[in-house]
Amino acid sequence: MKAILSGQTAIAVCIEGENLYSISLDSPESWIAHQKWKLPHLFADAADILQIEDVSRSEVMDKLKLEWAQDRSLQLILILLDHKEELQTRLEAAECLDDFLNQDEVRKYVENHLYSSPLPSTADLNGAIRLSENSLLSHLTEFLNTFQSDQEEISKRFAAWEALPINLFGNPTIKRDYYYEAVRHGAFRLFVTEREKKNIAVIQLLSHPHFRGSSKARTIFQKWAAPFNESVTNIEFESQEIDDDTNNGTDSRYKKHSISGFNVFQQVEKQKEAIKKLLREGKQDLALRFTKDLIAKQRRDSEPKHLAKSLCDLAQFAKSLGSAELQLEFVLKAVAEAPDDSWSHATLGDAYRSLAEFQKAQDEYHTTGVLGDVRMALVGRAEVLKDLGQIDEAIQLFEQCIQEFSDDLISRNGRAAAFAYNGSFQQALDAYDEILRIAPFDAVTSSGRAQVLRDMGRLDEALKEFGELAKSYPEEIIPQNAFAEVLRELGELDKARIALINVIEHFPLAPEPRAAYARILRDLGRFNEALSEYDKIITEFPLNRWAYIGVAETYRKIGRLPEALEAYERVINLFPRVTHIRNGKASVLVAMGDYLNALKILPTNLPATQSEWVAYHIRGMVRMRSGKLEKAEKIFEWGINEIPWVSQRAYFKTALASLRVQQKRYQEVFPLVQTIIHPSIEPIAHALIMHASGELGDMPRFNQSYESIQNTSAPVVIELREALAERYRRRTTSIPPDSWFFLHECDSLLLAA
Amino acid sequence: MKCPNCHEEIPEHVHDCVVCGTDVGYPNVRAALHKEEVSALKLRVKETEEDASLRGFKSVLDKFRDSVAQSVVVISCSLGKINELLSGDNQLYTTFYKAIGGESRLPEDNEWDKIRMAVDSLIFPYYAEHIRFGSLSIDLTGISGYGVYCMVLKETAIKDRATVFEENSIMFIKKHRIVPGDTLPQGYRATWMDRSSLAVAKLGKRLTPTTTETEFPKLLASSDTTDPDFIEVHIYGPIHRRAIKYLSGPEPRQKADKVLIKSISRKLTEIGATMEISK
């Protein structure tokens, strides 16, 4: 059910089909039925109307109470600050506010607005504070005192905003609209309240879901922050006095027994191994109980930082098994034990990154820097920027890091990888070569370099390099896996399969090669075997989400959509915090024609992360498949121009090519898709070339593309290929109709890519 | 249409000539004054008067007309909105509450726009955002389903820029099955000063020889929660706080709203308006 509500009017309306049911805060017991056309009248000129989806009536009521509290709090504080108001009225406003400001969301809402501008001279803040103090309203008093002490900074930030040139926005109306957005999402408040924490405000805003997908918003915030020497690429951190008490063990939980360090170490390692074994077996509840014992023991026998390291180690192990949720759970414990341990905060940042909670990740990396590990903080921050597609900023930050820490390979590798993301492949190769001159035997660098060759389509060279790496570093799994992947991309599926069998033998406890093997089986058209293999992985590695996803993707590829949907729902239930899984489910829903439910689970903000770009592409597919070609065109064209990841651009190009076929603009298809080499999309690209060249009578090109589509491609693509051959070779134009081809081309992109 | 000053062609929806800047009047008022609209309304009125004469209640009709000639516009709204409106000149509000104006968070393809846009494009093409809605009232009450607080506006503040419409505009579109591209049936709107003609045309045939004056208010505006029937008033441009003459409504239940009422009371007194809050 969806609902529309307004705090200002204190009314909510639930929309159930063609019926409306309204409720007001003044009469919360009775829902009144209305006809749908009354909707605009119920809210009249309310300025704060909000629509929410998939809610129950009780959730609507809760939301309405919050929205109302927010609106009234703002109105009441303005009454409180107004010297013209009667004293009694101001006092009653203060009493109400003292209650309201207890709610975090209400407080933030009021701050968001109050911090957006300096107080006008008519405001009686001193009077409000006196009134509040005299009435012993502690929450309100604290709020007002803080607000007063922040006035100077508010003025500065507001002046800086006003000074932003109009051409940065486009015109005054757009600047005004950005102002409203900045107020609503707390940008002014953040800049003021976080001013002591260098750069964190601008970092948070650039990671904010509402703003991070807009390069214009990012530019605006960075220009706004610049006069204050705040920047996402600034490498300064505020200093923090470290609480030595924690590490000295004055915490009463930490009582030292006299046991030798080595014995303690041995015992801890034993306990950790036992926990890891349980995790591998999927017995996470038991593992967590054992962890409690580990914590109790290490509190007795060790320092907090040692316990934190144990917990971080377990966190990383959980990550290697594929469970970002467990990774988070372990590392939160680590931070609780040793809040001043920079390594724990960095690990926590990594856990939040895995869960796509980028603002929290940035907070943790910032804390890491404050606690002294500046290098790790900057690398973490840069990696998050990369995740958000802010690759230029990431590169700048890596370069700063390299200047500060010239021996550090991680930032150098990060920068090289960022170049590759941006499509600056030669720069990436040069950067990797530079690292290899310093550290010729670094496996990570060599792997990164080989990966760039792969991204460039120089697969033979990539294969050679991965092969050499695999020989030189037999204990490193990444080059082994990558070698098999490149074989796959070269179409050497049997060789890839054999390579993976060897990797699995060598690394029996690693789920990644097993999942890759299952995928090869799928690529070979051995779908049932693939499903069986994924089921085995699930049994052996129950925490690893990739096997569950593999099952869903296999069903999706072979067109068994109800099973695919069920499989995606299982993954989402098991791993609710991993949001990118919803993209797969949405693709299936779109292919089933269920556009409404597909759109419901996709994010609505402008895309920033890779997962959000995939979701955006699916939105475009919804438009296209439902016949809204102009809207689809806008989405695909924008995607081609704006997506930061060169490798992902191919999805938008292919979608636009499909649209061009639909628009009968056949000549425009070829430049869009003829250079696509991505193995997932290449067959679909060829199918579109077949269609376009068939229409244009270019049979040599048609035949070439026909031959390029392997028989092991997804069934929907094979079906399309054969139908196109039937139509254009045998000239049977009537069956199937154009609409069939259109839907199949859409579904190829949704299911097979 | 042509600008009366520079004689250039100008769009129908503008208030000022796009060429020379002359005030060309309010588009809703100009729409009501179109020859065809006026003739069609006159015809409806004539038919009603003839019917009244035949059925012997012409005097009741005349009383009804006189009563409507004294009617006012009432805007039904919420407490929060009233306080915002009354604080329009207050620097604190203009500084900190203005951002609320950009707070509407409706997604594309929302329910709101689906309903509103179809109607607005037909009745107020290109100027719907400038229109404020009210209802015509004899007894100072509004349509309770649209807001429990009723603001009565001063006639001087609206008479030149308000028009009246047969009924709720959305209902009208539905009833007449009008779709984008159709022309509106004529004779269903009038200027403010001619509102009694519209009321006679719409409601005259519902009068009987025994209809009393005490029944006129409910005839003009019924607050039936399922199907309110009223004459809709369209006011071009924003409502200034000093346009408010009178406010009425119930005592609120929430403490915060009681504080708002006190502030509203003070602000109304400041502008010479009155208020009646019922327990």
Side-chain angles (χ1 to χ4, degrees):
Chain A
M1 181 180 73
K2 66 175 104 164
I4 295 182
L5 48 94
S6 153
Q8 196 180 51
T9 59
I11 289 175
V13 171
C14 290
I15 302 170
E16 296 172 17
E18 287 303 303
N19 299 312
L20 300 184
Y21 299 93
S22 74
I23 192 116
S24 79
L25 266 185
D26 269 353
S27 307
E29 323 80 24
S30 39
W31 290 85
I32 301 171
H34 302 273
Q35 289 171 38
K36 214 170 182 183
W37 57 264
K38 287 198 188 157
L39 185 61
H41 293 289
L42 295 171
F43 293 100
D45 283 341
D48 63 343
I49 299 164
L50 162 70
Q51 180 168 309
I52 51 179
E53 311 272 342
D54 279 337
V55 282
S56 64
R57 283 192 180 188
S58 65
E59 283 167 332
V60 170
M61 203 56 202
D62 289 342
K63 185 68 178 162
L64 178 63
K65 283 176 185 163
L66 175 62
E67 293 285 315
W68 173 82
Q70 288 174 343
D71 179 79
R72 292 306 189 260
S73 297
L74 186 57
Q75 298 216 39
L76 288 172
I77 203 147
L78 299 179
I79 287 172
L80 176 62
L81 291 169
D82 190 351
H83 68 276
K84 286 192 197 164
E85 292 286 357
E86 306 262 343
L87 192 60
Q88 184 59 29
T89 309
R90 292 176 78 183
L91 179 59
E92 289 174 22
E95 285 166 0
C96 289
L97 278 164
D98 197 59
D99 276 334
F100 278 139
L101 291 174
N102 257 330
Q103 294 176 65
D104 207 42
E105 283 167 296
V106 175
R107 188 186 180 108
K108 271 209 174 107
Y109 179 89
V110 174
E111 283 174 345
N112 286 351
H113 286 84
L114 287 185
Y115 278 62
S116 66
S117 196
L119 275 176
S121 52
T122 53
D124 181 20
L125 180 54
N126 287 329
I129 292 174
R130 268 199 309 276
L131 205 146
S132 178
E133 280 171 348
N134 293 342
S135 311
L136 304 177
L137 300 169
S138 56
H139 293 118
L140 180 63
T141 306
E142 182 228 325
F143 178 91
L144 292 172
N145 280 325
T146 307
F147 181 48
Q148 186 172 56
S149 58
D150 285 338
Q151 282 302 305
E152 194 183 331
E153 189 69 21
I154 291 170
S155 296
K156 286 182 192 167
R157 298 287 173 166
F158 179 75
W161 175 270
E162 291 283 276
L164 290 172
I166 296 292
N167 60 18
L168 190 60
F169 300 86
N171 62 51
T173 306
I174 297 176
K175 184 173 183 180
R176 183 206 63 192
D177 290 345
Y178 267 98
Y179 173 79
Y180 290 158
E181 294 292 298
V183 171
R184 177 146 54 99
H185 293 285
F188 284 87
R189 174 181 56 81
L190 260 177
F191 273 122
V192 172
T193 58
E194 302 295 294
R195 62 190 179 277
E196 302 297 332
K197 292 161 90 176
K198 291 190 192 298
N199 312 306
I200 195 63
V202 67
I203 292 168
Q204 283 292 323
L205 287 169
L206 264 58
S207 310
H208 194 293
H210 189 76
F211 297 117
R212 65 192 185 210
S214 163
S215 56
K216 189 174 190 169
R218 297 199 307 264
T219 306
I220 289 166
F221 288 133
Q222 294 196 78
K223 291 254 189 278
W224 185 14
F228 303 93
N229 294 323
E230 291 165 359
S231 145
V232 76
T233 53
N234 191 329
I235 62 172
E236 280 181 55
F237 293 88
E238 68 275 19
S239 57
Q240 173 172 309
E241 285 173 15
I242 293 167
D243 177 9
D244 282 335
D245 286 349
T246 308
N247 286 329
N248 284 344
T250 55
D251 186 332
S252 62
R253 296 173 300 177
Y254 286 83
K255 297 182 172 88
K256 297 293 166 284
H257 288 189
S258 48
I259 298 177
S260 81
F262 182 69
N263 284 340
V264 168
F265 172 76
Q266 275 195 310
Q267 282 167 16
V268 165
E269 287 303 303
K270 246 171 99 172
Q271 274 181 290
K272 275 169 38 181
E273 276 313 307
I275 294 168
K276 287 178 182 178
K277 184 169 179 292
L278 288 169
L279 288 174
R280 245 183 256 117
E281 291 165 1
K283 296 173 183 164
Q284 56 191 70
D285 290 341
L286 198 51
L288 290 168
R289 280 216 297 275
F290 274 39
T291 305
K292 275 194 183 142
D293 294 339
L294 172 73
I295 292 172
K297 187 169 177 48
Q298 273 202 275
R299 278 180 185 165
R300 278 200 314 270
D301 301 335
S302 307
E303 305 289 338
K305 63 185 177 206
H306 298 136
L307 172 52
K309 288 215 164 18
S310 297
L311 291 165
C312 285
D313 179 42
L314 289 171
Q316 294 304 92
F317 184 78
K319 180 184 178 181
S320 72
L321 292 178
S323 175
E325 290 88 349
L326 268 178
Q327 179 193 10
L328 181 68
E329 191 156 353
F330 280 118
V331 72
L332 281 170
K333 292 182 197 308
V335 168
E337 294 300 322
D340 293 332
D341 178 42
S342 60
W343 178 254
S344 299
H345 283 281
T347 312
L348 184 53
D350 185 55
Y352 281 130
R353 255 188 82 205
S354 303
L355 292 166
E357 294 188 44
F358 298 111
Q359 286 188 294
K360 286 182 181 172
Q362 291 289 33
D363 258 343
E364 291 307 320
Y365 286 126
H366 185 84
T367 305
T368 304
V370 169
L371 290 171
D373 193 344
V374 170
R375 185 195 63 88
M376 199 67 240
L378 295 178
V379 167
R381 190 197 300 172
E383 289 295 338
V384 173
L385 290 174
K386 252 168 60 184
D387 290 340
L388 294 173
Q390 295 167 32
I391 298 173
D392 289 336
E393 291 90 339
I395 290 171
Q396 276 182 55
L397 198 50
F398 280 128
E399 279 167 357
Q400 296 265 50
C401 202
I402 291 165
Q403 277 183 28
E404 282 292 306
F405 305 98
S406 52
D407 296 338
D408 179 53
L409 294 186
I410 295 176
S411 45
R412 286 177 185 273
N413 272 301
R415 182 182 68 153
F419 282 135
Y421 272 19
N422 234 354
S424 308
F425 296 123
Q426 193 52 53
Q427 256 183 303
L429 286 176
D430 293 342
Y432 279 121
D433 287 340
E434 196 185 304
I435 303 167
L436 287 169
R437 280 194 286 277
I438 305 168
F441 304 111
D442 186 66
V444 171
T445 307
S446 301
S447 280
R449 189 183 190 284
Q451 183 60 39
V452 175
L453 292 170
R454 187 178 162 192
D455 289 340
M456 292 169 85
R458 286 159 61 173
L459 297 178
D460 290 325
E461 290 172 70
L463 188 72
K464 186 162 174 262
E465 289 204 15
F466 280 125
E468 281 166 11
L469 274 167
K471 281 196 196 115
S472 306
Y473 303 97
E475 298 313 311
E476 293 286 340
I477 195 174
I478 290 174
Q480 322 270 352
N481 270 339
F483 180 77
E485 283 296 313
V486 176
L487 280 170
R488 176 181 170 258
E489 284 165 31
L490 281 165
E492 304 269 17
L493 297 180
D494 273 317
K495 285 184 183 172
R497 190 179 62 83
I498 292 164
L500 281 167
I501 289 172
N502 290 334
V503 179
I504 291 167
E505 271 176 25
H506 205 65
F507 299 93
L509 299 180
E512 293 87 1
R514 299 281 301 274
Y517 180 74
R519 194 168 67 161
I520 292 285
L521 289 174
R522 190 171 75 204
D523 292 337
L524 285 166
R526 289 154 65 173
F527 300 120
N528 288 334
E529 285 178 69
L531 286 167
S532 176
E533 186 60 28
Y534 281 125
D535 283 340
K536 280 189 206 155
I537 301 169
I538 287 170
T539 307
E540 290 173 51
F541 303 94
L543 297 177
N544 187 292
R545 64 180 181 266
W546 294 109
Y548 297 93
I549 294 173
V551 169
E553 286 184 347
T554 304
Y555 281 128
R556 178 165 70 106
K557 266 201 158 54
I558 59 180
R560 284 165 63 176
L561 302 188
E563 287 101 320
L565 207 57
E566 205 182 308
Y568 276 118
E569 277 160 10
R570 178 169 71 152
V571 189
I572 291 169
N573 284 335
L574 288 170
F575 305 98
R577 295 179 74 162
V578 181
T579 50
H580 69 82
I581 298 168
R582 286 173 168 73
N583 288 337
K585 181 180 172 183
S587 298
V588 173
L589 288 169
V590 176
M592 291 168 94
D594 188 355
Y595 305 130
L596 199 62
N597 282 320
L599 289 172
K600 269 185 195 170
I601 60 174
L602 294 173
T604 53
N605 51 291
L606 278 177
T609 65
Q610 288 201 49
S611 170
E612 286 169 356
W613 276 104
V614 171
Y616 189 68
H617 177 268
I618 298 171
R619 284 188 168 275
M621 293 304 301
V622 169
R623 302 288 186 261
M624 184 157 77
R625 206 175 183 278
S626 57
K628 294 177 183 161
L629 299 187
E630 270 185 45
K631 284 188 176 175
E633 190 177 35
K634 281 198 177 95
I635 287 175
F636 297 141
E637 282 175 347
W638 197 74
I640 290 169
N641 290 327
E642 298 294 326
I643 191 168
W645 292 276
V646 163
S647 58
Q648 305 295 312
R649 205 164 287 156
Y651 288 88
F652 285 88
K653 285 185 167 180
T654 318
L656 187 63
S658 177
L659 187 76
R660 292 290 180 246
V661 168
Q662 187 61 6
Q663 292 170 323
K664 301 192 192 314
R665 289 157 63 173
Y666 302 114
Q667 285 290 1
E668 292 174 49
V669 170
F670 307 116
L672 284 167
V673 294
Q674 62 198 4
T675 54
I676 285 173
I677 52 168
H678 197 297
S680 295
I681 330 171
E682 198 184 351
I684 304 161
H686 280 297
L688 292 170
I689 292 174
M690 280 178 69
H691 197 155
S693 43
E695 282 295 321
L696 293 169
D698 183 352
M699 293 317 289
R701 197 176 220 168
F702 178 95
N703 290 330
Q704 193 179 21
S705 282
Y706 179 92
E707 298 305 327
S708 300
I709 301 175
Q710 306 287 334
N711 289 332
T712 49
S713 298
V716 64
V717 178
I718 300 295
E719 202 182 351
L720 183 58
R721 179 188 72 178
E722 292 310 312
L724 285 165
E726 189 67 25
R727 181 183 239 203
Y728 294 107
R729 278 180 180 166
R730 292 175 259 291
R731 296 278 150 200
T732 48
T733 53
S734 57
I735 299 165
D738 285 349
S739 54
W740 184 95
F741 286 99
F742 172 60
L743 281 177
H744 261 64
E745 281 158 8
C746 285
D747 291 351
S748 298
L749 283 162
L750 288 162
L751 304 178
Chain B
M1 61 174 269
K2 283 198 191 308
C3 169
N5 180 49
C6 66
H7 309 294
E8 296 292 339
E9 277 295 327
I10 56 172
E12 288 284 346
H13 66 273
V14 300
H15 179 222
D16 300 312
C17 172
V18 297
V19 179
C20 69
T22 297
D23 179 348
V24 293
Y26 300 98
N28 56 317
V29 175
R30 289 200 304 273
L33 286 173
H34 274 155
K35 228 170 34 182
E36 296 83 1
E37 280 287 355
V38 172
S39 308
L41 180 59
K42 271 194 176 135
L43 190 60
R44 289 179 73 207
V45 169
K46 187 163 174 259
E47 281 170 11
T48 306
E49 284 172 343
E50 283 169 2
D51 181 62
S53 295
L54 263 172
R55 289 166 52 204
F57 61 86
K58 183 78 172 35
S59 62
V60 177
L61 186 70
D62 289 338
K63 281 183 187 160
F64 179 66
R65 180 189 280 116
D66 292 342
S67 197
V68 175
Q70 306 303 313
S71 62
V72 294
V73 61
V74 176
I75 297 183
S76 302
C77 58
S78 66
L79 203 59
K81 195 68 197 175
I82 292 168
N83 193 44
E84 184 198 348
L85 178 63
L86 282 168
S87 309
D89 291 347
N90 181 316
Q91 208 180 0
L92 272 167
Y93 275 79
T94 54
T95 302
F96 296 113
Y97 210 75
K98 66 174 180 275
I100 305 284
E103 295 255 336
S104 182
R105 291 152 284 169
L106 294 172
E108 221 181 277
D109 290 343
N110 61 77
E111 298 299 324
W112 185 278
D113 285 340
K114 279 180 204 168
I115 298 164
R116 203 55 262 175
M117 276 163 55
V119 173
D120 291 348
S121 64
L122 286 160
I123 301 183
F124 322 107
Y126 302 111
Y127 65 92
E129 57 171 342
H130 297 288
I131 296 293
R132 303 291 174 272
F133 294 86
S135 58
L136 205 58
S137 173
I138 291 170
D139 62 355
L140 311 186
T141 60
I143 307 302
S144 58
Y146 299 164
V148 295
Y149 293 91
C150 300
M151 275 193 311
V152 175
L153 301 184
K154 294 174 184 168
E155 188 172 32
T156 46
I158 56 98
K159 64 182 174 62
D160 294 331
R161 56 185 176 122
T163 48
V164 290
F165 195 77
E166 178 85 357
E167 60 181 319
N168 175 302
S169 40
I170 299 173
M171 208 57 224
F172 183 87
I173 299 294
K174 274 173 72 79
K175 213 186 264 180
H176 292 263
R177 296 182 203 274
I178 303 166
V179 298
D182 289 350
T183 42
L184 279 180
Q186 285 161 338
Y188 294 94
R189 51 180 147 188
T191 61
W192 175 258
M193 298 311 285
D194 202 21
R195 61 196 184 282
S196 50
S197 297
L198 185 69
V200 160
K202 175 184 177 181
L203 300 163
K205 291 182 183 171
R206 296 187 208 174
L207 297 169
T208 70
T210 59
T211 307
T212 61
E213 285 181 50
T214 55
E215 293 172 80
F216 289 166
K218 283 286 164 275
L219 184 64
L220 184 63
S222 99
S223 263
D224 185 311
T225 47
T226 47
D227 205 359
D229 186 25
F230 56 95
I231 289 181
E232 197 172 71
V233 181
H234 303 150
I235 305 164
Y236 188 95
I239 310 292
H240 191 272
R241 64 192 185 108
R242 290 185 181 275
I244 302 172
K245 183 177 173 181
Y246 169 79
L247 177 73
S248 66
E251 175 81 40
R253 285 159 73 163
Q254 309 288 342
K255 186 177 175 189
D257 287 346
K258 289 181 203 262
V259 177
L260 243 59
I261 281 281
K262 287 187 178 171
S263 177
I264 286 168
S265 173
R266 180 191 67 78
K267 288 161 186 163
L268 284 171
T269 307
E270 211 174 66
I271 58 168
T274 55
M275 182 169 91
E276 188 179 326
I277 298 296
S278 52
K279 298 278 176 210

